[in-house]
């Protein structure tokens, strides 16, 4: 192989195993001619799904070329496909979207009418996901040597799942993956040894799961070479769990017995083989480190051999970078992949780069990718000007431009708008690399929740009904994702106007009810995070003085905003604005209890 790509030159200097060479060669192959891989993928998808009800509608008549596909098949959103998805979920087994049977639905964290979106998936998709996973360590090994000499402490969890009325499982993609034989019966690989046993990962009680995973991580602290979770928020939750539970964990270690809070039989059984004897020295060490006020650098104190954190800190997760830096003493953060319930997309070929420089290379074999040039006039304007012929192919995107990702999958999504905005930063061989810019329409996000402007508006409306009789109104509001505390929570700033035009007085009791009413109005992913996962704290409303939002406008105008076009930002994060708002707060109120949530869908 000629040495002319950065990956290949690294391969030459690193000691690369045969398995890694194979994976790296595959990446080279895929990225050298992404256009022909894409043509092949589309041909395969259209050929195998030509008899589906969906594709038959567009009279492709067996033609599988891109030009015909682009001219006949419309670009769609989830709402457009909802009738088909509903029929499949109700049990219609005819080939509606896919000729291969839909084996389950993956519940996306994106929502439709307040409920999680259901993404169809087929059996073989598991192989595609696993293929992408299998590329991660070979790339990492080029940058960090010796990862086979120790273990990874990864906090991995399954979430609750349900069945659709037609009997198909509906669960998050990672729950589906961890419960599959692909994960459970994975062959031994020295580069992928985890401290967490499968029994702990697969326990659906997140508290027992976390306890057991943390305990194993502590017992094996010198072996841990990398530490991670899927998203940054998950890793911070683990740190917070340690803050709250280190005494109990240290007690287990000092006595060599497992806490009675662990009652899951599979975990108990497995832990009896891991926690076999008391370790007084380790227990004392932990008490010494954890009882200190200052937790700065705690990760490297407890796990001194950690070379990097493996967490996604791009997109909405970037808000956690400073906190992670604080706890880890500035360890590198590797963002290794970019994926979704609809399809896995790509990998980061320079995983040790700074978070701000992360670009993902889309693997052209995963699905058929198109790119809708993104209009900067705002999402609404882009929506109005959707020109289906303007979509660009993977190989033809231009550096510096932004696009919305549109995919066609083996499982039957055709020209489906994922909702992610990506910017092209460069190329690896001939494959473009993308920086994740943002999720369209998402205002607030703490973890996997995504709250849009319409949802926030509805929640404010519903809550303000609680004092409408009093003649008081919310005249302006904005919001903020507070992530300095763990778990993070939503903060909503309200400016109120009473009947007599003054700042209205609403009782603490009613304000607390307003907080809860807002939570009840938010989507099911938010409520699940609050109720089942405890990954979001109680919603807070901060009432600000009258005139605060006018000051906000003055500030924006002083910085060049047009007075005619000024709109109140419905979400803020810019420090001077936060400081202005916080300096005007007259009272703060929290949700007093949990909103309703159950794994079953509302409709
Ligand atoms: P879900 O459908 O719930 O699995 O969420 C998938 C979405 O999470 C993607 O469409 C992105 O918006 C976001 N996401 C996934 N991976 C990344 C990443 N590496 N960086 C930023 N955002 C990501």
């Amino acid at each position: 192989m000629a040495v002319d790509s950065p990956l290949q030159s690294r391969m030459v200097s690193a000691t690369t195993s045969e398995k890694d060479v194979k994976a790296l060669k595959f990446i080279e192959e895929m990225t050298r001619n992404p256009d022909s891989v894409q043509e092949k993928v589309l041909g395969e998808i259209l050929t195998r799904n030509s008899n589906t009800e969906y594709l038959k509608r567009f009279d492709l008549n067996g033609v599988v070329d891109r030009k015909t596909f682009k001219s006949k098949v419309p670009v769609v959103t989830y709402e457009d496909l909802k009738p088909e998805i509903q029929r499949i979920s109700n049990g219609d087994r005819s080939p509606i979207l896919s000729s291969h049977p839909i084996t389950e639905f993956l519940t996306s964290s994106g929502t439709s009418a307040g409920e999680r979106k259901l993404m169809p998936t087929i059996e073989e998709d598991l192989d595609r996901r696993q293929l992408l996973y299998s590329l991660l360590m070979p790339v990492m090994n080029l940058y960090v040597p010796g990862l086979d000499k120790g273990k990874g402490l990864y906090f991995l969890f399954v979430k609750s799942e349900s069945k659709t009325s037609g009997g198909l499982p509906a669960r998050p993609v990672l729950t589906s993956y961890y419960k599959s034989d692909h994960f459970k019966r994975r062959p031994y690989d020295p580069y992928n040894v985890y401290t967490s046993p499968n029994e702990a990962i697969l326990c659906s009680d997140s508290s027992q799961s976390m306890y057991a995973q943390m305990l194993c991580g502590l017992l094996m602290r010198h072996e841990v070479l990398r530490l991670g979770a899927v998203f940054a928020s998950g890793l911070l939750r683990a740190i917070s769990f340690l803050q709250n539970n280190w005494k109990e964990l240290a007690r287990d270690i000092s006595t060599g017995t497992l806490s009675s809070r662990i009652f899951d039989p599979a975990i108990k059984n497995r832990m009896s083989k891991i926690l076999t004897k008391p370790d007084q020295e380790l227990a004392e060490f932990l008490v010494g480190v954890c009882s200190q006020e200052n937790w700065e650098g705690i990760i490297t104190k407890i796990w001194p051999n950690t070379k990097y954190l493996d967490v996604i800190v791009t997109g909405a997760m970037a808000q956690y970078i400073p906190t992670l830096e604080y706890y880890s003493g500035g360890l590198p953060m590797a963002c290794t992949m970019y994926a979704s319930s609809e399809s896995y997309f790509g990998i980061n070929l320079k995983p040790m780069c700074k978070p701000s420089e992360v670009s993902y290379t889309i693997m052209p074999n995963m699905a058929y990718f198109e790119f809708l040039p993104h209009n900067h006039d705002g999402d609404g304007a882009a929506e109005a000007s959707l020109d289906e012929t303007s979509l660009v192919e993977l190989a033809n995107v231009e550096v510096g431009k932004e696009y919305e990702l549109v995919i066609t999958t083996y499982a039957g999504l055709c020209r489906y708008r994922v909702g992610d905005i990506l910017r092209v930063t460069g190329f690896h061989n001939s494959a473009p690399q993308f920086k994740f810019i943002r999720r369209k329409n998402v205002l607030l996000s703490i973890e996997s929740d995504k709250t849009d402007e319409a949802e926030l508006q509805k929640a404010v409306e519903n809550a303000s009904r609680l004092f409408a009789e009093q003649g008081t109104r919310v005249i302006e509001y904005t919001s903020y994702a507070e992530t300095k505390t763990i778990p993070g929570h939503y903060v909503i700033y309200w400016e109120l106007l009473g009947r007599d035009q003054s700042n209205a007085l609403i009782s603490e009791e009613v304000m607390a009810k307003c907080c809860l009413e807002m939570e009840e109005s938010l989507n099911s992913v938010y409520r699940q995070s609050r109720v089942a996962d405890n990954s979001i704290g109680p919603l807070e409303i901060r009432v600000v003085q009258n005139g605060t939002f006018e000051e906000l406008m003055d500030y924006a105008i002083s910085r060049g905003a047009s007075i005619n076009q000024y709109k109140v930002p419905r979400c803020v994060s810019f420090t001077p604005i936060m400081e202005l708002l916080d300096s005007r707060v007259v009272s703060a109120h929290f949700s007093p209890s949990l909103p309703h949530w159950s794994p079953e869908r509302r409709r």
Side-chain angles (χ1 to χ4, degrees):
M1 198 193 290
V3 180
D4 56 6
S5 96
L7 210 62
Q8 282 182 15
S9 37
R10 280 210 159 255
M11 248 167 91
V12 171
S13 52
T15 29
T16 313
S17 72
E18 213 174 293
K19 197 166 154 224
D20 284 8
V21 169
K22 206 170 144 219
L24 297 169
K25 273 189 174 165
F26 177 78
I27 296 173
E28 289 301 277
E29 217 177 283
M30 288 295 116
T31 53
R32 277 196 193 284
N33 199 346
D35 201 44
S36 68
V37 179
Q38 283 281 273
E39 191 168 12
K40 186 167 156 270
V41 166
L42 183 66
E44 278 172 14
I45 294 175
L46 295 182
T47 305
R48 67 150 70 170
N49 287 339
S50 60
N51 65 339
T52 58
E53 191 185 310
Y54 188 74
L55 276 184
K56 275 195 199 155
R57 266 181 225 163
F58 307 113
D59 295 326
L60 290 171
N61 299 321
V63 180
V64 299
D65 72 280
R66 284 190 270 193
K67 205 161 156 236
T68 315
F69 174 69
K70 281 176 85 160
S71 65
K72 296 200 170 188
V73 180
V75 174
V76 294
T77 63
Y78 185 79
E79 304 311 317
D80 298 316
L81 294 182
K82 227 169 150 186
E84 285 77 17
I85 291 194
Q86 199 63 53
R87 278 172 54 207
I88 302 169
S89 95
N90 290 344
D92 190 334
R93 296 281 178 271
S94 63
I96 298 174
L97 294 175
S98 160
S99 60
H100 287 216
I102 303 296
T103 45
E104 59 182 306
F105 279 110
L106 303 177
T107 53
S108 157
S109 56
T111 52
S112 157
E115 294 290 330
R116 281 172 181 273
K117 290 178 185 169
L118 293 176
M119 294 301 165
T121 185
I122 56 178
E123 184 79 42
E124 64 177 44
D125 282 338
L126 270 169
D127 298 332
R128 262 184 284 277
R129 283 179 213 123
Q130 195 176 41
L131 175 69
L132 205 76
Y133 284 129
S134 75
L135 306 176
L136 303 180
M137 284 315 284
V139 173
M140 188 55 90
N141 291 335
L142 294 176
Y143 295 87
V144 186
L147 291 173
D148 56 336
K149 307 287 182 295
K151 296 182 179 177
L153 166 50
Y154 282 84
F155 295 96
L156 306 176
F157 299 92
V158 294
K159 290 197 179 180
S160 71
E161 56 181 86
S162 61
K163 278 217 154 52
T164 67
S165 57
L168 287 174
R171 52 194 181 181
V173 60
L174 291 172
T175 299
S176 161
Y177 182 69
Y178 300 145
K179 287 188 174 178
S180 73
D181 282 346
H182 287 66
F183 180 78
K184 286 194 295 194
R185 296 180 197 280
R186 60 196 183 278
Y188 174 79
D189 172 356
Y191 290 95
N192 261 324
V193 182
Y194 299 146
T195 52
S196 297
N198 284 359
E199 291 80 355
I201 295 171
L202 293 171
C203 172
S204 57
D205 175 344
S206 62
S207 162
Q208 291 187 68
S209 172
M210 175 75 92
Y211 192 94
Q213 296 195 51
M214 184 61 81
L215 186 54
C216 292
L218 295 173
L219 289 167
M220 298 173 219
R221 78 181 190 99
H222 286 293
E223 293 171 69
V224 172
L225 300 184
R226 52 204 172 107
L227 210 119
V230 179
F231 288 115
S233 52
L235 187 51
L236 286 171
R237 276 184 67 207
I239 302 295
S240 161
F241 184 88
L242 184 61
Q243 267 167 341
N244 295 327
N245 295 281
W246 59 266
K247 285 187 186 145
E248 198 171 347
L249 288 156
R251 199 179 318 124
D252 285 6
I253 294 170
S254 80
T255 58
T257 53
L258 189 62
S259 158
S260 58
R261 71 190 275 176
I262 304 295
F263 52 87
D264 179 271
I267 300 189
K268 275 175 76 173
N269 184 31
R270 185 64 190 264
M271 288 308 296
S272 69
K273 295 176 185 98
I274 298 172
L275 182 65
T276 48
K277 54 178 189 328
D279 186 340
Q280 203 54 40
E281 200 183 323
L282 175 58
E284 275 167 24
F285 164 79
L286 272 180
V287 171
V289 172
C290 295
S291 57
Q292 281 167 22
E293 265 306 285
N294 183 354
W295 272 45
E296 189 169 357
I298 192 84
I299 291 180
T300 35
K301 282 182 195 155
I302 298 183
W303 295 281
N305 300 318
T306 314
K307 299 186 182 200
Y308 66 94
L309 303 181
D310 193 343
V311 276
I312 291 178
V313 286
T314 42
M317 292 294 140
Q319 60 193 341
Y320 295 105
I321 294 173
T323 319
L324 274 179
E325 274 172 346
Y326 173 83
Y327 286 122
S328 73
L331 280 176
M333 294 172 211
C335 298
T336 57
M337 68 188 277
Y338 169 42
S340 80
S341 316
E342 293 90 331
S343 168
Y344 281 17
F345 304 129
I347 57 178
N348 178 2
L349 295 176
K350 289 187 189 151
M352 298 307 276
C353 71
K354 283 197 220 133
S356 58
E357 286 163 13
V358 172
S359 285
Y360 299 101
T361 306
I362 288 188
M363 283 292 125
N365 59 313
M366 299 304 289
Y368 183 67
F369 299 99
E370 291 176 275
F371 297 84
L372 181 60
H374 184 62
N375 180 335
H376 279 275
D377 296 348
D379 293 328
E383 216 57 49
S385 64
L386 171 63
D387 170 5
E388 308 213 336
T389 57
S390 69
L391 270 71
V392 180
E393 266 122 40
L394 180 65
N396 297 334
V397 293
E398 291 174 50
V399 173
K401 291 208 171 149
E402 289 185 8
Y403 300 90
E404 182 186 339
L405 182 62
V406 174
I407 55 166
T408 297
T409 66
Y410 285 88
L413 298 176
C414 280
R415 310 195 85 193
Y416 176 90
R417 296 174 72 168
V418 174
D420 289 348
I421 308 294
L422 311 174
R423 184 187 303 142
V424 185
T425 54
F427 285 82
H428 176 77
N429 294 324
S430 304
Q433 301 185 294
F434 298 89
K435 181 179 166 99
F436 181 93
I437 300 298
R438 65 186 177 90
R439 176 102 185 161
K440 250 177 57 186
N441 295 333
V442 171
L443 216 53
L444 288 166
S445 174
I446 297 286
E447 198 220 14
S448 57
D449 55 303
K450 300 178 173 80
T451 296
D452 69 22
E453 201 164 325
E455 286 169 332
L456 185 65
Q457 167 75 23
K458 187 94 205 115
V460 172
E461 271 170 32
N462 289 349
S464 53
R465 279 200 200 104
L466 298 180
F467 48 79
E469 269 184 10
Q470 224 177 292
T472 299
R473 291 178 296 128
V474 177
I475 52 163
E476 274 309 350
Y477 68 91
T478 190
S479 64
Y480 170 66
E482 167 62 84
T483 54
K484 281 188 235 42
T485 49
I486 307 170
H489 69 280
Y490 287 13
V491 175
I492 321 293
Y493 292 90
W494 276 10
E495 185 171 323
L496 298 169
L497 194 67
R499 199 169 266 142
D500 60 356
Q501 303 298 301
S502 64
N503 204 346
L505 270 184
I506 300 178
S507 70
E508 166 60 37
E509 194 193 339
V510 173
M511 282 308 298
K513 278 191 188 150
C514 288
C515 295
L516 183 58
E517 182 58 33
M518 284 200 68
E519 296 201 296
E520 294 286 10
S521 309
L522 293 173
N523 64 55
S524 74
V525 182
Y526 175 89
R527 286 178 284 112
Q528 177 175 1
S529 303
R530 276 282 283 134
V531 177
D533 308 340
N534 296 319
S535 53
I536 301 184
L539 182 142
E540 179 183 1
I541 295 178
R542 293 183 191 161
V543 178
V544 294
Q545 285 168 16
N546 278 111
T548 302
F549 278 82
E550 220 167 290
E551 283 186 71
L552 210 69
M553 179 166 84
D554 291 343
Y555 181 79
I557 289 165
S558 75
R559 286 176 51 95
S562 145
I563 197 155
N564 292 322
Q565 287 165 308
Y566 177 78
K567 294 184 206 75
V568 175
R570 290 300 178 214
C571 182
V572 292
S573 57
F574 188 49
T575 310
I577 294 202
M578 307 299 311
E579 284 171 359
L580 192 153
L581 284 166
D582 282 328
S583 68
R584 304 291 186 273
V585 170
V586 287
S587 61
H589 314 268
F590 288 89
S591 191
S593 51
L594 293 171
H596 290 92
W597 176 80
S598 89
E600 301 311 320
R601 299 171 74 79
R602 272 184 178 171
R603 286 150 303 114

